[in-house]
Amino acid sequence: MASTIGGTPLEHAAQVVESKQQADRKFPVISELLHASSSSEYEGAIPAEWQVVTKQRAVALPDALFEQYDLLECRCFMGLFPEIGRAWITVDHRLFLWNYEDETDFYSFEGQEQIIVSVALVKPRSGVFVEAVTHVLVVATPLEVFLLGVGHRGGARGGEVTLYATQISVAADGVAMTCIAGAHDGRVFMGGNDGGLYEFEYRASDGWLTKRARKVNLTASVASYFVPTFLAGRRDTPALAMAVDDARRLLYVLLQDASIRVYWLGAQGDEFVLVHHHRTVGSAAALLCPQFNEGSEAAPFEIASLHVIPLSESRTLGLVAVTGGGSRLYFSTVQRAQRFYDNAARATADRPEVFEVVHVRLAPDAQPGAATRAALMPRALRVHAAFYGGGTALMAHAWSEDHDAVVGAAPACAQILGRVARQPRASLVELAAAPRVEGRTWAIAELSSGARALNDLATVSATPTRTFAVLTNAGVTVLEQQRPVDMLRALIGQPAVADAQLREFIAAYGLDETCAMCFTLLCADDAAQHSGGMHVLGAARRVLFELGGVPHFAEAPAFPTAATADATGSERIELSGRHNGLAQYLARVLQPIWARAAISAATNDGTRVRVAIATPELVEVQDRLRRLQRFVGSNQRFVPDQLNQMPVQPANSTRPPADATRCWQAESTSLGALYELLVHAVEAISFLCLLADFNLPAISAAMPAEQRQILADITFGRLVCGERAACKELILALIGSQLRQNVSIDSLSDVLSKRCSSLFSVADVALYKALEALHVAGETGEGAETAELARDALALLTGIAGSLSVGQLRD
């Protein structure tokens, strides 16, 4: 959205907000950070005591499950189903679903007698099961593969899970399925220990010539069906893991020889075509990065896991392979010429023409850093389980016989932004940590859902947004990814924190960002503030008001920013970090709705309009704005006065006091404009919610077409800053609809004047009540009542005659 041009304080505040939002949008996508062939830069967290990944809690396996484990005769497997909040455990032929949120709640299934070799949770096919079945559990034994319906009702402590017998199964014919994966449309793929890839096809009922379910060998040739098994010769290499990319319609298959096959599922998702088989992944990585030295005759090259990169994160990078040594190999199915600019690449599900390693990210131990980090990191990783998503990598490393170290790595956003400001292209820098967990890790999965931003500085939530579960043979350990705001909360939450530590944090993340984090903590909801404690809130206020800096004169920067104000001559006024932090936080709160259409056409012919932003989304933004409004309104320390003097200029300044006064005046003016925008945004949301409640599409049908056309192009930012005439027209239409229905507008006028006072003034209340009196008088006819109504209307209009415009008088 183009910046608002204008000279009013409100328009200036809008420019500041838009410049902050634009700066956040400049954060590179992952493919832009990995523009070179390899990278290996890691840094310890600032401060060093708080890591980018920390343990939140540990939940031990219930004693009843340990007792079942003692009965083990043959095989045991474990895994995680975060979609339904359960861990699964198999002990021979028994299957257990454990609710790790409730800790002791688990469900057992013992409806068959064969050893279970593989389990997966997939999406159900449309039209096959009842509505209560939200997922399908695929259970594989050497004799058969069968389906169980899963009904999951979300709620506190993991919700409720119900299993349904489906009577859908296929014979396994002695093939043990080593891995199972499902597509979003319900297709189920399985990898057998015979090297074949199979699909479990099922339907609602038997057909005339087809069974309800069948197992299809997708990789067998026609001739193989006529050759006896003992003459078949060498089998294909079995699969170790699968990953489905639903957006690109691809199936990635990792084989036991560390090669990767890519199958295209067709534009409609109903095909299965081998398009690439990368047999030399390790050699390709070594060519890109000479420091990559995994794989030898004594210890062959291994890949621990595959992870799809969704289109929302990158259009050019599609897959990450985590190696046994902890490196990450990034693959692309996009031609080299199209990979230079991620946003320019087409987002299609076409058959890929290439599949190649394009970047090698060495393990955190490849480049030893500070002593504190070197002490935490193992020198050489031996990864046996891994997770990757949203730029964050977690890798389970065998630290000892009884413990694993979960090596975590996530983008160091402050360092990356600093480099973006200094050079055209920045490389990936990551923070690394290695918390230890008890037992040997079987699986790692993310518990949080929703959009995952690579830039974790651009947040307005005071609680950690990403949590992960690490399943070991001792239980589940829940990890949290610590954002900079979480590290600041931990730092200032100490009983005594030294100014040197605070200044170290400010130096690492910048004064503006640190103040924005303070606003995030101080304007959190009641639950988040209670969990942090009053000590944290008091410390955040201290950082904001005592360390937030002061406005001062500075030489004109080479690249001016919107957070600076013009001064005379060649000098500019640098506003304080406290001001810039407020602007940054306000911009991020408004970001989800600022540039979106507030009102849009409700019909194709444009005869009606509707509120284009959902009410729950508007209310969520408004709640944050109101908390910020209360905080700013109740704290008068932003600009010094006679009762509470703050430093008026830097300690080393030689300027006269009059210059400091000018700086504070500039800051006060800008703060006032930001507060005005904040108030107008709160009222604009109230107005939109009111329109939604009063059925705007029906109301707008009576409006002139020209007005509807103007309304259909209004973004929320324009509604806040300048489109007051359009709001007035909407109010008139709303009141007109009430009058046509002979409904009193007293309650409506009260709501408008209380929630939208900048849109609906006291004079407006009197005007519309006068119009209502005249409307009722016209409907009543002649008589004493009519005369009284006319006198009331005249009295109301006389009282506001000086504030009425010519247009209103004409109407």
Side-chain angles (χ1 to χ4, degrees), residues 687-744:
F687 184 54
L688 290 175
C689 293
L690 186 68
L691 291 174
D693 290 341
F694 276 84
N695 193 3
L696 178 58
I699 295 171
S700 62
M703 297 177 67
E706 297 79 7
Q707 291 181 3
R708 287 196 302 267
Q709 182 61 39
I710 294 173
L711 291 172
D713 295 331
I714 291 180
T715 63
F716 181 80
R718 285 177 54 199
L719 188 69
V720 170
C721 296
E723 297 293 343
R724 320 310 283 178
C727 294
K728 294 287 187 182
E729 295 297 338
L730 282 168
I731 292 174
L732 281 172
L734 179 58
I735 291 178
S737 71
Q738 296 292 292
L739 292 176
R740 285 191 297 272
Q741 299 174 45
N742 295 320
V743 177
S744 174

Side-chain angles (χ1 to χ4, degrees), residues 34-86:
L34 302 178
H35 56 83
S37 60
S38 63
S39 60
S40 58
E41 189 171 356
Y42 295 87
E43 291 192 7
I46 302 296
E49 291 81 3
W50 290 276
Q51 302 301 309
V52 67
V53 177
T54 61
K55 285 196 291 187
Q56 183 194 67
R57 68 182 189 275
V59 183
L61 281 174
D63 292 339
L65 288 180
F66 274 117
E67 293 173 0
Q68 292 292 328
Y69 187 78
D70 292 337
L71 302 176
L72 175 67
E73 296 180 359
C74 188
R75 308 187 72 171
C76 174
F77 298 98
M78 306 173 72
L80 287 167
F81 294 148
E83 303 94 329
I84 60 174
R86 299 295 188 274

Side-chain angles (χ1 to χ4, degrees), residues 259-502:
S259 66
I260 300 175
R261 289 179 182 171
V262 183
Y263 292 90
W264 186 53
L265 304 181
Q268 304 302 320
D270 55 358
E271 301 181 41
F272 191 84
V273 181
L274 176 64
V275 289
H276 295 287
H277 186 182
H278 204 314
R279 294 180 173 85
T280 57
V281 175
S283 300
L287 288 174
L288 290 175
C289 178
Q291 292 81 16
F292 183 82
N293 56 4
E294 296 184 35
S296 63
E297 292 185 4
F301 170 70
E302 294 181 352
I303 295 177
S305 57
L306 301 179
H307 309 275
V308 171
I309 300 177
L311 280 172
S312 58
E313 296 179 15
S314 176
R315 296 190 176 187
T316 58
L317 300 177
L319 184 74
V320 175
V322 180
T323 69
S327 296
R328 279 167 277 157
L329 310 182
Y330 291 80
F331 292 81
S332 177
T333 57
V334 177
Q335 293 280 5
R336 181 182 296 272
Q338 301 177 23
R339 288 203 299 263
F340 289 104
Y341 300 99
D342 191 276
N343 292 331
R346 292 187 304 141
T348 66
D350 296 338
R351 178 171 175 163
E353 298 180 2
V354 298
F355 178 66
E356 55 189 359
V357 184
V358 297
H359 186 89
V360 177
R361 179 70 177 172
L362 294 178
D365 65 327
Q367 293 286 334
T372 54
R373 194 183 69 79
L376 293 170
M377 287 295 155
R379 291 293 301 166
L381 298 185
R382 300 185 303 277
V383 175
H384 53 270
F387 165 87
Y388 179 88
T392 298
L394 299 174
M395 299 169 285
H397 159 78
W399 182 270
S400 65
E401 291 185 0
D402 300 324
H403 291 82
D404 277 357
V406 180
V407 179
C413 298
Q415 290 85 337
I416 292 172
L417 284 172
R419 296 185 181 191
V420 169
R422 297 191 302 269
Q423 57 195 34
R425 303 184 76 179
S427 298
L428 179 62
V429 184
E430 291 183 311
L431 300 174
R436 300 181 198 178
V437 297
E438 182 182 356
R440 183 170 180 82
T441 302
W442 281 82
I444 306 174
E446 184 165 7
L447 302 181
S448 48
S449 59
R452 300 172 295 192
L454 199 63
N455 180 10
D456 58 10
L457 284 170
T459 181
V460 292
S461 172
T463 56
T465 53
R466 299 191 67 180
T467 55
F468 309 89
V470 179
L471 176 66
T472 72
N473 53 10
V476 167
T477 300
V478 178
L479 305 179
E480 285 183 346
Q481 181 172 334
Q482 300 294 291
R483 305 160 301 164
V485 66
D486 303 319
M487 297 178 189
L488 176 63
R489 179 175 50 230
L491 175 63
I492 64 179
Q494 297 180 104
V497 55
D499 282 353
Q501 288 181 296
L502 287 173

Side-chain angles (χ1 to χ4, degrees), residues 200-278:
F200 191 138
E201 294 185 353
Y202 64 94
R203 48 197 290 179
S205 59
D206 291 333
W208 285 101
L209 300 175
T210 57
K211 295 182 178 180
R212 185 183 185 186
R214 63 173 184 159
K215 175 170 61 72
V216 180
N217 191 329
L218 300 171
T219 54
S221 63
V222 176
S224 65
Y225 290 99
F226 303 98
V227 178
T229 305
F230 66 91
L231 295 177
R234 184 178 61 86
R235 293 184 174 183
D236 290 337
T237 306
L240 277 179
M242 296 179 180
V244 178
D245 187 339
D246 289 312
R248 300 179 180 90
R249 303 286 190 184
L250 297 176
L251 172 68
Y252 300 102
V253 181
L254 172 64
L255 305 183
Q256 288 182 1
D257 60 2
S259 66
I260 300 175
R261 289 179 182 171
V262 183
Y263 292 90
W264 186 53
L265 304 181
Q268 304 302 320
D270 55 358
E271 301 181 41
F272 191 84
V273 181
L274 176 64
V275 289
H276 295 287
H277 186 182
H278 204 314

